[in-house]
Amino acid sequence: QMATKNITFDPDSGVPYGLNLTMYGGSDFEVNLNVKTTSNAAFDLTGYSGSAAMSKSVAVGATLGITSSFTVGFTSAYDGKMKISLGSTDTRATTEGRYVYDILVAAGGTFYTLANGNVYVYNPVSSAP
């Protein structure tokens, strides 16, 4: 599935944007992000790099280490457009349940947590006929 989400990035606040996501096992996972400034203009991500990962949530505040690393791409950095994705082989191998994730961006040697939240993974019950 492909979702598009608008998120606000305020590097001065030090607070990531909270965003919960849903993933379906065996399907390609893609989330397009429109990154906005606090005044709702496109955030120019030119010169930024990005990474994103998720970890299985086993208890409140506890995780099992990185479960999957997402592919992070800038589809139009100047316009604040980026994408995180995970292929169907990886989503199929992901156990159903709740995970936590974060997206990091870096510019000029400074790292920022752009967004974070929960990913709920659903595995298919039926198989194709």
Side-chain angles (χ1 to χ4, degrees), residues 41-125:
F43 191 101
D44 185 355
L45 292 166
T46 302
Y48 280 78
S49 61
S51 65
M54 71 179 196
S55 177
K56 180 74 171 167
S57 182
V58 291
V60 174
T63 60
L64 290 175
I66 292 177
T67 305
S68 295
S69 292
F70 296 104
T71 299
V72 177
F74 294 89
T75 52
S76 180
Y78 178 78
D79 296 318
K81 296 183 184 301
M82 61 185 296
K83 175 173 73 173
I84 64 168
S85 59
L86 198 60
S88 60
T89 302
D90 290 323
T91 65
R92 185 177 295 110
T94 304
T95 305
E96 184 168 305
R98 187 171 68 84
Y99 294 73
V100 294
Y101 82 97
D102 58 14
I103 303 169
L104 304 179
V105 293
T110 304
F111 291 84
Y112 306 94
T113 303
L114 178 68
N116 66 7
N118 296 312
V119 178
Y120 198 86
V121 177
Y122 292 94
N123 285 334
V125 176

